Amino acid sequence: QVQLVESGGGLVQPGGSLRLSCAASGNIFRINLMGWYRQAPGKQRELVATITSGGSTNYADSVKGRFTISRDNAQNTVYLQMNSLKPEDTAVYYCNADIRRLITVSWNTYWGQGTQVTVSS
């Protein structure tokens, strides 16, 4: 069994900051790519940022220069530091991870339950 648990969402004023965390737990052998996605009301889920186990990052154009993704491989945790937040960043944020479990040689993608981020004055 593998779980991804997000935390750190909330209500923030435009221009403010939030830091999201996502911890993976369970019978994990190895984690490869980790990432953050978001889904606003009435819109499709979209990529925000990804990070490989080696630390290479990729960002959506809409968040470049404002958001920073990082990870702690020892803690199986990925973070998303969000600065200069805008109302259009309002969405449910989901983390995901490509994980190989201890009992199998295959890789699977797991998702967290989501955390709400609301940017409003």
Side-chain angles (χ1 to χ4, degrees):
Q1 188 79 0
V2 172
Q3 281 189 316
L4 298 183
V5 178
E6 298 116 334
S7 61
L11 173 65
V12 63
Q13 292 186 342
S17 298
L18 281 176
R19 189 189 194 211
L20 306 183
S21 300
C22 173
S25 62
N27 56 343
I28 296 169
F29 175 70
R30 188 165 294 171
I31 301 178
N32 190 10
L33 194 69
M34 303 185 82
W36 289 95
Y37 290 72
R38 67 186 182 187
Q39 188 167 19
K43 295 187 177 181
Q44 290 188 334
R45 191 173 298 189
E46 63 176 4
L47 170 73
V48 176
T50 61
I51 184 168
T52 67
S53 57
S56 296
T57 58
N58 179 55
Y59 294 92
D61 288 342
S62 59
V63 306
K64 282 181 181 177
R66 300 188 297 123
F67 291 10
T68 302
I69 189 171
S70 60
R71 64 190 282 174
D72 182 336
N73 290 329
Q75 298 296 323
N76 291 336
T77 300
V78 62
Y79 304 96
L80 186 68
Q81 177 66 43
M82 305 185 293
N83 298 328
S84 302
L85 282 160
K86 305 175 181 179
E88 50 263 44
D89 294 318
T90 295
V92 177
Y93 283 70
Y94 299 89
C95 70
N96 83 343
D98 293 335
I99 295 174
R100 178 181 167 184
R101 295 169 62 190
L102 288 168
I103 60 172
T104 179
V105 297
S106 63
W107 291 83
N108 295 96
T109 299
Y110 295 85
W111 290 87
Q113 81 286 355
T115 185
Q116 177 70 46
V117 172
T118 302
V119 185
S120 176
S121 54

